[in-house]
Amino acid sequence: MVRGYRRLRGAVVSIAVAGTLAAGSLVTGAGPAVARPAPGEASQYLVFYAQGRQADALSAIRSGGGVVEAVDAKLGYALVHGPGTAFAERLGASSSIVGVTDNRRVGSAAALPAQGPVSVPAVATPAAEVSAPAQGAFPAAASSSQAAAAATRGDPLSARQWNMKMIGATPGGSYAKDRGSKRVLVGVIDTGVDGRHPDIAPNFDRRLSRNFVVDRPKDSKGKTLDGPCEYKNCKDPADVDDDGHGTHVASTIGSPLNGIGVAGVAPGVSLVNIRAGTDSGFFFLKPVLDALTYAGDAGIDVVNMSFFVDPWTFNCARNKADSRAEQLQQAGIITGVQRALDYARGHGVTLISALGNGSTDLGHPTTDKDSPGYPAGSERDRTIDNSCLNVPAESRGVISVSAVGPSKRKAWYSDYGTEQTDLAAPGGDPTDAGTSLKGTAREILAAAPTRALRKQKLIDGSGKPTGSSVVRDCHQGKCSYYQYLSGTSMASPHAAGVAAILISRFGKPGRGGLALSPARVQELLYATADRVGCPSSGSITYSVSEQKHLCAGPTSKNGFYGHGLVNAYRAATAKH
């Protein structure tokens, strides 16, 4: 996931190969640093009111000295200015109020940060990476002959996509049966999507894409946060991704089979950027609510959520270790996101989420050392239990996905749980030695924005990759870039792509495209997944983390794999 998901709590943070955290990779629960206001200082809040109690709530807000700026009747909350923490606590005493959350940046995407001394051998550089591109050049469009060759042999970098082979997304597999329809809209709620990348552009729907965040160059202490404002009002266009996480996710879902780079699970679908994550990889509550509501209103069929909403890795509405204001903040996150998810699902959106990169049994959590991840430095050890929720992975109506490595072993970083794991998918794992693959080749390769790679110093001034985590594919003197990443953020887009194939096949005309109820998509996803049982020993002990993870449940539904490993070929050939 991305920083919202363990800084990636929402979005799964990918593991950068060679022990370096990929720039912009998001980790659940972490958000940008913002100082808390002084007791008498006015702050902005999202105040969630009980069903049918809007008038009472607005009265309580005004009586407490708050100023109502706006009301969102769809999700049942008011945007309010009020005099500091004491104001929030007073509101919590009203029976009409169910949550009061600071309107700050509170979320991130999830890519897995490197932990421990993981040795990553170098990968040989293929001939396609030899020629250097001109500064800022984009690859030429694929020729008809390139596209025709790709249909039978795959794209130039397909040989590196063990993940697609694992789920049957190959020229001899699902690509020959159903690649997904342009009428199916897959929303990527993430850090943005590079809509100009040659392996994204053919399937990118710029008209429907939106950006719900504004860049913040610096935090309240003057430290660099999102970097300089490149566009008017610090708001990036809807085809920009300065982080790279969202582009990687979108590429895995639907990069076209076009003779360039890689191909996605569903290379024929439409990709819609619904940006809720910042350049620095944080996901805050308000943009997440806006993104989910928009998905419902815009007729999006599937959304991928590789993030969690900061600042709490686990949201506990009644934890005695937290202050009353903190309890209200967490209750607001749980309530607000659930309402937004219900709204989107009620409007036909299938909800797919990364499970998280905390290496935790979510059914039996005991401690949370990462919260609150915002403001920076606020983290403390908390004793928690299963009443505390990882949002949105543990929210109702969401299909949550764990990650596996190339041998199908549950990835060491992946969260798990018999209640929480719905499906499994390839997410990459540099420590999985169960195949002949080495180092970075054990991760997931997908498209990456040139500008983000240059900013992260993953390519040099001439355009040459500086390490094995980046691959360059060149045609006619122009090149595009691809990056190896690991995380549950990388796993969930595989499930989103398979869901898109199912909607393409079984959806009926509606909402301007094809429509299939989320409940039916879920049934078909589970029915077409490959059942994978728990390890024969019942557990796995990971040398990289020195942790023992216990797998519980039968082959039909267990804590590591849920209902099974997603299978694109079975989805493309299944009977209704």
Side-chain angles (χ1 to χ4, degrees):
M1 302 184 139
V2 191
R3 276 189 223 280
Y5 220 69
R6 248 330 146 292
R7 244 200 193 298
L8 200 94
R9 185 132 354 273
V12 179
V13 179
S14 4
I15 289 184
V17 198
T20 303
L21 175 62
S25 58
L26 310 180
V27 186
T28 297
V34 175
R36 292 187 182 279
E41 183 181 345
S43 297
Q44 192 177 60
Y45 297 93
L46 305 181
V47 180
F48 296 90
Y49 50 81
Q51 187 174 6
R53 302 289 301 278
Q54 176 181 315
D56 294 339
L58 296 182
S59 177
I61 290 167
R62 293 176 179 124
S63 296
V67 177
V68 177
E69 293 187 349
V71 174
D72 187 324
K74 291 179 180 177
L75 303 186
Y77 73 88
L79 189 63
V80 175
H81 259 91
T85 302
F87 165 73
E89 292 179 344
R90 285 197 301 274
L91 283 185
S94 170
S95 61
S96 63
I97 306 295
V98 296
V100 184
T101 302
D102 306 33
N103 187 24
R104 300 171 179 170
R105 299 150 64 94
V106 287
S108 314
L112 184 68
Q115 298 183 19
V118 181
S119 174
V120 184
V123 177
T125 302
E129 299 175 311
V130 173
S131 63
Q135 282 281 350
F138 288 98
S143 66
S144 57
S145 59
Q146 281 179 296
T152 57
R153 297 197 299 268
D155 278 338
L157 300 179
S158 291
R160 294 171 173 259
Q161 293 185 279
W162 60 264
N163 49 312
M164 297 301 170
K165 297 171 188 174
M166 180 181 287
I167 67 170
T170 63
S174 63
Y175 296 163
K177 301 297 181 179
D178 197 311
R179 301 177 191 175
S181 167
K182 271 289 194 294
R183 300 176 69 190
V184 174
L185 305 174
V186 183
V188 180
I189 302 181
D190 215 290
T191 60
V193 175
D194 180 4
R196 295 168 294 170
H197 191 289
D199 235 359
I200 298 287
N203 290 343
F204 187 69
D205 191 321
R206 184 171 278 97
R207 180 181 64 86
L208 286 178
S209 292
R210 297 289 186 274
N211 175 14
F212 291 102
V213 300
V214 175
D215 291 347
R216 294 188 181 183
K218 297 182 182 296
D219 64 19
S220 61
K221 297 180 180 179
K223 294 183 179 180
T224 298
L225 202 58
D226 289 334
C229 291
E230 302 99 336
Y231 302 95
K232 183 178 180 181
N233 299 323
C234 289
K235 188 164 184 175
D236 295 341
D239 62 354
V240 168
D241 177 14
D242 284 327
D243 176 89
H245 187 274
T247 298
H248 196 282
V249 166
S251 176
T252 296
I253 294 168
S255 272
L257 191 64
N258 60 350
I260 294 175
V262 301
V265 178
V269 299
S270 294
L271 299 168
V272 182
N273 174 26
I274 311 177
R275 182 175 167 183
T278 65
D279 284 352
S280 49
F282 298 107
F283 288 77
F284 304 105
L285 180 58
K286 182 67 164 58
V288 170
L289 301 183
D290 292 342
L292 285 166
T293 303
Y294 176 75
D297 291 340
I300 305 300
D301 296 292
V302 185
V303 294
N304 184 85
M305 300 177 290
S306 288
F307 67 87
F308 73 79
V309 180
D310 285 318
W312 305 90
T313 300
F314 290 93
N315 290 273
C316 316
R318 297 179 181 81
N319 194 323
K320 295 180 180 179
D322 301 330
S323 69
R324 180 56 180 153
E326 290 173 331
Q327 291 174 350
L328 287 166
Q329 183 188 61
Q330 293 168 79
I333 292 171
I334 293 169
T335 300
V337 174
Q338 188 62 64
R339 288 179 179 179
L341 292 166
D342 290 344
Y343 181 86
R345 197 168 192 267
H347 285 71
V349 184
T350 295
L351 307 163
I352 310 284
S353 173
L355 193 57
N357 300 329
S359 197
T360 299
D361 181 351
L362 296 179
H364 302 88
T366 57
T367 58
D368 177 7
K369 298 181 180 181
D370 302 319
S371 301
Y374 169 92
S378 300
E379 302 88 346
R380 64 176 188 269
D381 287 1
R382 295 194 302 159
T383 299
I384 61 172
D385 58 30
N386 199 29
S387 66
C388 301
L389 300 178
N390 176 315
V391 175
E394 292 190 85
S395 300
R396 295 187 308 276
V398 174
I399 299 168
S400 296
V401 185
S402 66
V404 304
S407 73
K408 298 185 182 179
R409 183 189 74 169
K410 186 190 79 67
W412 71 269
Y413 55 81
S414 180
D415 288 340
Y416 60 103
T418 53
E419 303 169 47
Q420 293 78 13
T421 307
D422 295 311
L423 290 167
D429 185 348
T431 73
D432 185 353
T435 69
S436 62
L437 296 174
K438 306 293 183 182
T440 52
R442 296 169 178 167
E443 300 192 282
I444 306 300
L445 185 67
T450 303
R451 187 166 70 178
L453 293 178
R454 185 166 285 121
K455 183 173 66 175
Q456 298 165 30
K457 301 189 185 312
L458 293 174
I459 57 175
D460 63 21
S462 69
K464 182 180 179 180
T466 58
S468 61
S469 66
V470 173
V471 179
R472 182 173 61 180
D473 182 36
C474 301
H475 300 277
Q476 301 175 6
K478 296 184 178 180
C479 303
S480 55
Y481 294 91
Y482 303 83
Q483 186 175 16
Y484 281 107
L485 295 174
S486 296
T488 54
S489 282
M490 284 63 252
S492 60
H494 290 81
V498 175
I501 291 173
L502 291 167
I503 296 169
S504 297
R505 295 195 62 221
F506 303 121
K508 304 298 182 184
R511 302 194 306 162
L514 296 176
L516 188 63
S517 75
R520 183 56 180 154
V521 176
Q522 178 176 297
E523 289 175 2
L524 290 168
L525 276 171
Y526 294 170
T528 57
D530 290 329
R531 302 289 181 260
V532 184
C534 290
S536 56
S537 64
S539 64
I540 300 175
T541 299
Y542 298 92
S543 58
V544 65
S545 62
E546 298 183 351
Q547 289 183 330
K548 182 178 182 179
H549 293 178
L550 178 65
C551 181
T555 300
S556 59
K557 175 65 167 77
N558 59 69
F560 279 10
Y561 303 97
H563 293 275
L565 184 69
V566 296
N567 188 309
Y569 180 74
R570 291 185 64 185
T573 57
K575 295 181 180 180
H576 202 300

